[in-house]
């Protein structure tokens, strides 16, 4: 039975008046503007999540809209979970929050209903990065390719390029286990198409596929598109500044019928242009939407009629910051004001005054880490905790001197962003066992059939593969069918099949956490880890079990094995154990969306932050993005903000100088500690010179061009939104940036 306290927590429901009472006037405006196209520009710490969840609650509680008709898109699993928890606190534990999800999760849900129309089973497997590499390993072996020819990472990038074009859908979504109508022109294409063939055989979709398959499903079957357009009366999108052009077109089409799109974002916090986000979508929100509805040509979904624009546009600003002191905001505002590609706004706060923002210039790494350690110890001596503090940096390699320094100064710490929890060997093993129970897929079978050892060597596995190909069946089903074959005598094959079959039966009525515990015992995997003596691995498995129990409590609806595996596949992150009192160390990218009492930004040297590599590749665009990243790091701070750098030499041998971002902030907003010599300042001035890019002449469709790596090609498409050419080379079609210097016109 539930305790009285837990019962009350689960059944408590806030009234709408109570919900609205916690909002300022701008937030209320966002809540009450329920119809049309709404753009909310929400500054750092301005309570955007509070406004977003309040709007959802207002639609449900005050206007009577069913949650089944509201799609709320977030960009991380963590954000979706937190939003679900907030909504249940507002609306009661019985609220259906299944449409509060990431875009990939939503696409997965769409596909679970109708992917059969594309000749895939509804029980398809979502593949993660390790699965991709396992498939490539098979392909490399079959084609006798060595890693020095092309690494997995390189080939995954090429697969991503191919899938970004979307043209592969026509030869993947055909009946049978093979892809059709493709003649690879070279070894690279042969690898890509063989990879896709194996994907299809395993009924696996990777991250790139989820949105592409959904788009293709809508293109080919307008009745399915209309079903979802009818269903989704209201669409809400968080972190809209991080949206890609493809995602925007997709969401835009979902809102065709009812034309109620609510977006929340901050152009100043766009830090993912390097992986395809297009903040122009947020900056030119009305223009991009109007151009779609006014277009009389082809749409993103050919054959789909373009509806008449009937909705109004509105922009709302959330400028009040609830997180930081006035001192931190003043320095942050001054830094970001140096960017040109933004929407002008000035954050303010009613919080009380605090400590000055400090810039510390050290003579070397040891000096810099000594200052950082001193600030943390001062915080502890004043009654604070280590966990109140975070050290942020631009690139992962910077953590080395921080970790060494913390060990020297006896400061406990945890590094975020190392080897992902779900990428650890023991966790992959356990998840593959669960996946085998649910899906019976080949990748999972191959990983665990001999873990722990069951005398299932190469000959036995080769026999299974040969029979599977002959029977056109999955490996596990083949083993089950031929289990009495003499080749398996003396092995653990029969016991393995017995265990998996019993787990399948047990899973029908058991919770995921219960299934996991039984599976660990039955398979002998827990004992296998104990005997290895690697107790850290056992702790990781225990943490997985604990996280499942937590997820079962917070999920909002009954957690099925399928839902859990989907959640894990889509989101390969796990919360660190915040129960330990230790300083957090992480990159500035990882820190986005978080807040801390005390923030220390370390390694603020030119060529490190901003990144020299980024500047070399994208120049002015990269400089503005790097400045936005620094702004994001600064605005994580609630009470204290320290920015540090030191003299010495960088890893490429250059002289380290203070980052230009430190001098973007006026002296009246920052206290500078440490003497910077005239020579260092002269060197800094030389390093910060960046050539203005020349005006780029956009080449038209049909232009013959030459790429320094891919050779000659023809421009087939010009996408001004993403500033990208789609060029057909002899080696295949590639997206190439307008700004790329290695492209020339052939006359």
């Amino acid at each position: 039975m539930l305790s009285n306290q837990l019962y009350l927590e689960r059944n408590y429901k806030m009234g709408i008046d109570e919900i609205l009472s916690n909002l300022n006037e701008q937030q209320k405006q966002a809540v009450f503007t329920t119809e049309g196209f709404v753009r909310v520009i929400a500054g750092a710490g301005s309570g955007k999540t509070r406004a977003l969840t309040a709007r959802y609650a207002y639609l449900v509680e005050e206007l009577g809209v069913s949650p089944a008709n509201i799609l709320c898109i977030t960009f991380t699993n963590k954000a979706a979970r937190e939003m679900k928890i907030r909504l249940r606190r507002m609306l009661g534990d019985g609220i259906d929050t299944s449409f509060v999800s990431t875009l990939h999760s939503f696409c997965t849900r769409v596909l679970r209903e109708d992917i059969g129309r594309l000749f895939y089973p509804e029980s398809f497997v979502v593949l993660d990065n390790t699965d991709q590499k396992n498939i490539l390993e098979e392909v490399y072996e079959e084609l006798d390719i060595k890693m020095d020819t092309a690494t997995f990472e390189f080939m995954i990038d090429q697969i991503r390029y191919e899938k970004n074009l979307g043209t592969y859908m026509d030869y993947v979504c055909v009946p049978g286990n093979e892809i059709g109508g493709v003649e690879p022109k070279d070894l690279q294409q042969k690898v890509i198409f063989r990879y896709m063939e194996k994907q299809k055989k395993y009924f696996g979709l990777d991250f790139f596929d989820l949105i592409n398959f959904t788009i293709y499903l809508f293109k080919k079957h307008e009745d399915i598109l209309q079903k979802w357009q009818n269903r989704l009366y209201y669409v809400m999108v968080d972190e809209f500044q991080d949206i890609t052009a493809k995602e925007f077109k997709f969401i835009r089409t979902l809102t065709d019928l009812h034309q109620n799109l609510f977006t929340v974002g901050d152009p100043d916090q766009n830090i993912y242009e390097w992986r395809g986000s297009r903040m122009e979508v947020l900056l030119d929100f009305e223009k991009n939407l109007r151009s779609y509805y006014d277009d009389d040509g082809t749409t993103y979904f050919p054959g789909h009629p373009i509806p008449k624009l009937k909705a109004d546009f509105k922009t709302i600003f959330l400028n009040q910051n609830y997180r930081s002191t006035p001192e931190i905001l003043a320095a942050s505002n001054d830094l970001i004001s140096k960017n040109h590609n933004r929407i002008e706004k000035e954050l303010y706060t009613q919080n009380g005054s605090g400590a000055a923002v400090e810039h510390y210039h050290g003579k070397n790494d040891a000096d810099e880490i000594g200052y950082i350690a001193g600030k943390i110890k001062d915080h502890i001596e004043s009654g604070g905790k280590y966990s109140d503090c975070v050290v942020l940096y631009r690139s992962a390699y910077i953590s080395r001197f921080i970790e060494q320094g913390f060990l020297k100064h006896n400061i406990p710490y945890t590094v975020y962003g190392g080897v992902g929890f779900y990428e650890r060997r023991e966790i992959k093993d356990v998840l593959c066992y669960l996946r085998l129970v649910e899906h019976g897929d080949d990748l999972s079978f191959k990983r665990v059939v001999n873990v722990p050892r069951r005398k299932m060597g190469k000959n036995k596995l080769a026999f299974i593969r040969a029979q599977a190909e002959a029977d056109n069946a999955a490996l596990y089903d083949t083993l089950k069918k031929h289990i009495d074959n003499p080749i398996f005598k003396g092995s653990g094959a029969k016991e393995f099949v017995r265990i998996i079959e019993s787990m399948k039966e047990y899973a029908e009525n058991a919770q995921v956490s219960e299934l996991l515990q039984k599976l660990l015992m039955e398979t002998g995997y827990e004992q296998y880890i104990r005997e290895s003596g690697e107790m850290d691995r056992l702790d990781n498995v225990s943490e997985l079990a604990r996280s499942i129990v937590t997820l079962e409590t917070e999920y909002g609806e009954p957690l099925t094995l399928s839902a859990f595996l989907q959640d894990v596949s889509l989101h390969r992150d796990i919360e660190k154990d915040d129960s330990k009192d230790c300083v957090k160390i992480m990159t500035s990218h990882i820190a986005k969306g978080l807040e801390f009492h005390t923030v220390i930004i370390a390694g603020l040297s030119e060529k490190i932050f901003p990144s020299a590599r980024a500047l070399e590749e994208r120049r002015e665009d990269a400089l503005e993005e790097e400045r936005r990243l620094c702004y994001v790091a600064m605005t994580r701070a609630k009470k204290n903000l320290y920015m540090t750098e030191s003299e010495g030499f960088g890893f490429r041998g250059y002289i380290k100088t203070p980052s230009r971002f430190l001098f973007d902030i006026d002296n009246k907003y920052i206290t500078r500690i440490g003497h910077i010599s005239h020579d260092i300042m002269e060197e800094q001035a030389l390093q910060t010179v960046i050539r203005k890019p020349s005006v780029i002449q956009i080449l038209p469709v049909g232009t013959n061009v030459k790429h320094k790596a891919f050779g000659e090609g023809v421009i087939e498409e010009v996408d001004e939104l993403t500033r990208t050419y789609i060029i057909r080379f002899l080696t295949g079609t590639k997206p190439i940036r307008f700004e790329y210097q290695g492209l020339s016109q052939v006359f």
Side-chain angles (χ1 to χ4, degrees):
M1 288 190 61
L2 294 174
S3 68
N4 288 337
Q5 180 64 28
L6 186 58
Y7 178 83
L8 289 171
E9 287 178 3
R10 287 194 172 186
N11 289 276
Y12 174 73
K13 179 177 172 181
M14 296 174 67
I16 194 66
D17 290 339
E18 185 180 356
I19 294 170
L20 297 176
S21 66
N22 297 319
L23 306 180
N24 62 35
E25 289 306 309
Q26 288 73 33
Q27 291 169 332
K28 288 179 182 178
Q29 188 182 9
V31 169
F32 297 146
T33 310
T34 61
E35 310 304 305
F37 298 106
V38 184
R39 175 180 66 169
V40 177
I41 306 298
S46 62
K48 68 177 179 66
T49 304
R50 186 189 308 165
L52 198 64
T53 50
R55 186 179 192 269
Y56 187 107
Y58 180 79
L59 286 169
V60 173
E61 190 69 10
E62 193 70 9
L63 302 186
V65 179
S66 169
N69 300 122
I70 306 171
L71 175 64
C72 187
I73 295 295
T74 68
F75 274 74
T76 67
N77 184 48
K78 181 174 181 262
R81 261 196 321 266
E82 289 177 352
M83 194 169 292
K84 288 182 177 187
I85 292 169
R86 287 197 186 206
L87 288 171
R88 288 200 296 276
R89 287 172 183 164
M90 290 178 174
L91 300 171
D93 199 52
I95 188 74
D96 178 10
T97 56
S98 56
F99 276 156
V100 178
S101 71
T102 64
L103 190 59
H104 288 101
S105 294
F106 171 70
C107 287
T108 303
R109 175 158 183 170
V110 172
L111 295 172
R112 292 286 184 212
E113 289 190 19
D114 290 301
I115 199 172
R117 304 276 284 273
L118 301 180
F119 311 104
Y120 274 70
E122 293 173 3
S123 60
F124 66 87
V125 178
V126 180
L127 305 175
D128 61 26
N129 190 253
T130 302
D131 294 326
Q132 289 180 285
K133 290 180 179 178
N134 288 339
I135 294 175
L136 280 174
E137 190 174 358
E138 291 180 20
V139 174
Y140 276 36
E141 186 178 339
E142 292 172 6
L143 299 177
D144 196 26
I145 300 173
K146 307 299 180 188
M147 289 293 285
D148 56 3
T149 303
T151 65
F152 290 162
E153 287 74 16
F154 171 81
M155 194 53 64
I156 287 173
D157 280 343
Q158 301 311 304
I159 292 168
R160 182 185 294 113
Y161 276 129
E162 187 74 27
K163 290 190 173 183
N164 187 53
L165 300 173
T167 53
Y168 73 106
M169 297 301 304
D170 286 328
Y171 48 81
V172 168
C173 295
V174 294
N177 286 334
E178 297 182 352
I179 62 178
V182 181
E183 288 295 332
K185 295 185 175 80
D186 55 24
L187 183 61
Q188 182 173 301
Q189 281 198 344
K190 191 176 288 186
V191 172
I192 292 172
F193 296 137
R194 186 71 65 89
Y195 168 90
M196 291 182 184
E197 244 177 14
K198 288 186 174 293
Q199 257 195 294
K200 184 166 187 184
K201 180 186 174 186
Y202 300 147
F203 298 127
L205 304 186
D206 58 31
F207 269 31
F208 316 126
D209 294 322
L210 291 174
I211 189 168
N212 284 340
F213 268 67
T214 309
I215 288 170
Y216 194 76
L217 183 65
F218 288 169
K219 280 183 179 179
K220 295 296 182 180
H221 303 281
E222 192 168 349
D223 60 316
I224 298 174
L225 171 61
Q226 289 175 349
K227 175 177 72 174
W228 285 99
Q229 288 177 330
N230 282 319
R231 188 178 297 181
L232 302 175
Y233 280 75
Y234 296 92
V235 177
M236 303 161 66
V237 186
D238 194 13
E239 302 291 355
F240 199 68
Q241 77 280 345
D242 294 330
I243 201 166
T244 67
K246 180 179 289 186
E247 291 165 347
F248 172 61
K249 291 175 180 177
F250 176 65
I251 289 170
R252 187 179 62 185
T253 304
L254 281 177
T255 62
D256 272 357
L257 180 61
H258 303 293
Q259 298 188 17
N260 292 319
L261 175 61
F262 181 86
T263 67
V264 183
D266 181 8
D268 290 338
Q269 295 187 71
N270 173 263
I271 56 176
Y272 293 116
E273 281 191 337
W274 54 275
R275 69 182 190 192
S277 72
R278 291 290 176 265
M279 74 171 180
E280 304 90 62
V281 173
L282 182 61
L283 291 173
D284 301 320
F285 182 65
E286 183 173 347
K287 175 186 171 184
N288 285 318
L289 281 165
R290 285 194 182 278
S291 65
Y292 170 68
Y293 286 105
D294 294 342
D295 193 357
D296 58 0
T298 56
T299 73
Y300 196 61
F301 294 87
H304 175 64
I306 302 171
K308 185 178 180 181
L309 178 63
K310 61 184 181 183
D312 294 327
F313 293 85
K314 189 162 188 174
T315 294
I316 300 167
F317 287 89
L318 302 185
N319 283 349
Q320 184 175 352
N321 177 284
Y322 293 90
R323 177 184 300 153
S324 306
T325 63
E327 289 79 6
I328 293 170
L329 274 190
S332 304
N333 285 335
D334 199 37
L335 172 76
I336 201 62
S337 69
K338 307 305 188 293
N339 272 7
H340 301 289
N341 195 24
R342 62 189 297 261
I343 294 175
E344 197 71 33
K345 67 179 186 303
E346 189 82 7
L347 288 181
Y348 72 94
T349 183
Q350 295 179 355
N351 295 339
S353 185
V357 176
E358 292 184 9
H359 161 208
Y360 183 79
H361 174 79
K363 291 301 178 182
N364 47 51
D365 286 353
D367 189 15
E368 184 178 354
I369 197 65
Y371 170 84
I372 293 171
K375 289 297 180 182
I376 293 171
K377 288 180 177 179
D378 288 346
H379 178 69
I380 299 301
E381 289 173 3
S382 65
K385 298 184 295 184
Y386 287 110
S387 57
D388 296 333
C389 306
V390 66
V391 180
L392 305 179
Y393 42 82
R394 174 60 178 86
S395 302
Y397 67 86
I398 299 296
S399 70
R400 179 192 59 81
F401 92 92
I402 299 169
E403 291 187 65
Q404 288 181 343
F406 280 0
L407 289 170
K408 179 182 177 182
H409 291 277
N410 295 314
I411 292 177
Y413 68 90
T414 300
V415 181
Y416 281 58
V419 177
F421 182 85
Y422 288 107
E423 304 305 319
R424 296 171 187 175
R425 177 159 52 101
E426 61 277 10
I427 302 301
K428 289 291 294 182
D429 288 345
V430 173
L431 290 176
C432 280
Y433 266 116
L434 291 172
R435 223 167 70 174
L436 190 61
V437 170
E438 178 66 13
H439 300 298
D441 65 287
D442 288 2
L443 292 174
S444 298
F445 174 86
K446 288 192 291 185
R447 183 177 184 95
V448 300
V449 67
N450 215 28
V451 180
R453 294 197 178 279
R454 299 185 176 92
K455 298 181 180 180
M456 295 290 289
K458 287 184 178 180
N459 291 337
K460 295 180 180 65
L461 294 177
F463 171 82
I464 296 171
R465 279 198 300 271
Q467 292 297 322
E469 289 179 8
D471 298 340
N472 194 24
L475 295 176
Y476 173 75
D477 291 336
T478 302
L479 174 62
K480 188 167 65 172
K481 179 180 177 181
H482 298 275
I483 195 64
D484 292 322
N485 191 293
I487 195 172
F488 299 117
K489 188 176 180 180
S491 73
K494 191 166 284 189
E495 176 64 7
F496 177 73
V497 170
R498 184 198 68 76
I499 291 168
I500 299 301
E501 291 302 304
S502 69
M503 291 299 103
K504 285 177 181 285
E505 184 177 343
Y506 187 74
E508 291 178 1
N509 299 305
Q511 289 189 309
V512 179
S513 56
E514 296 170 340
L515 174 65
L516 175 61
Q517 293 299 334
K518 189 172 179 65
L519 190 146
L520 289 171
M521 288 180 59
E522 291 278 337
T523 60
Y525 192 83
E526 184 173 352
Q527 185 62 29
Y528 162 72
I529 296 179
R530 287 187 186 278
E531 290 173 356
S532 74
E534 299 178 76
M535 299 311 292
D536 286 345
R537 295 178 62 199
L538 190 62
D539 289 342
N540 289 335
V541 173
S542 298
E543 175 60 18
L544 176 65
R546 188 191 67 80
S547 71
I548 293 174
V549 173
T550 303
L551 191 58
E552 286 171 340
T553 305
E554 298 177 348
Y555 198 69
E557 48 271 346
L559 182 67
T560 64
L561 179 56
S562 176
F564 167 70
L565 291 172
Q566 176 181 308
D567 192 80
V568 168
S569 297
L570 291 171
H571 316 285
R572 309 302 285 183
D573 62 311
I574 191 169
E575 302 300 314
K576 292 280 185 175
D577 185 1
D578 289 329
S579 64
K580 295 180 181 177
D581 187 24
C582 53
V583 178
K584 298 174 178 65
I585 304 176
M586 66 185 75
T587 66
S588 298
H589 281 99
I590 293 175
K592 187 181 179 186
L594 305 177
E595 60 181 33
F596 305 91
H597 180 280
T598 296
V599 171
I600 302 161
I601 308 174
L604 267 165
S605 298
E606 197 66 23
K607 294 189 177 181
I608 298 175
F609 204 169
S611 160
R613 182 178 298 172
L615 296 187
E616 288 166 4
E617 292 176 353
R618 296 188 291 123
R619 300 185 182 275
E620 281 289 348
D621 287 343
L623 179 60
E624 293 218 346
E625 182 169 348
E626 292 286 300
R627 188 177 282 112
R628 291 194 295 270
L629 182 59
C630 188
Y631 172 80
V632 166
M634 293 172 69
T635 53
R636 300 311 93 196
K638 295 195 292 186
K639 296 295 184 182
N640 298 309
L641 174 61
Y642 308 108
M643 308 172 76
T644 72
E645 46 79 27
S646 57
E647 297 175 19
F649 294 93
F651 70 101
R652 292 181 181 174
Y654 57 81
I655 298 172
K656 288 201 300 180
T657 64
S659 168
R660 70 188 76 190
F661 297 153
L662 292 164
F663 300 107
D664 281 342
I665 305 170
D666 193 280
N667 286 338
K668 65 184 177 184
Y669 301 124
I670 192 167
T671 299
R672 306 198 190 269
I673 303 171
H675 175 68
I676 305 176
S677 69
H678 179 71
D679 290 344
I680 292 289
M681 289 302 297
E682 279 195 339
E683 184 71 24
Q684 195 272 344
L686 289 172
Q687 290 194 33
T688 57
V689 172
I690 183 168
R691 286 184 299 168
K692 294 280 186 182
S694 57
V695 177
I696 298 171
Q697 181 185 359
I698 301 174
L699 303 173
V701 171
T703 302
N704 293 314
V705 294
K706 187 175 182 179
H707 190 284
K708 70 176 185 180
F710 301 131
E712 293 189 4
V714 179
I715 297 176
E716 292 190 338
E717 185 180 340
V718 178
D719 192 334
E720 295 194 26
L721 179 61
T722 63
R723 297 185 62 77
T724 301
Y725 298 117
I726 305 301
I727 305 176
R728 172 65 66 180
F729 299 100
L730 291 175
T731 55
T733 304
K734 307 288 184 187
I736 306 295
R737 293 179 292 107
F738 289 171
E739 293 81 8
Y740 179 64
Q741 301 294 307
L743 190 72
S744 58
Q745 186 173 356
V746 177
F747 297 95

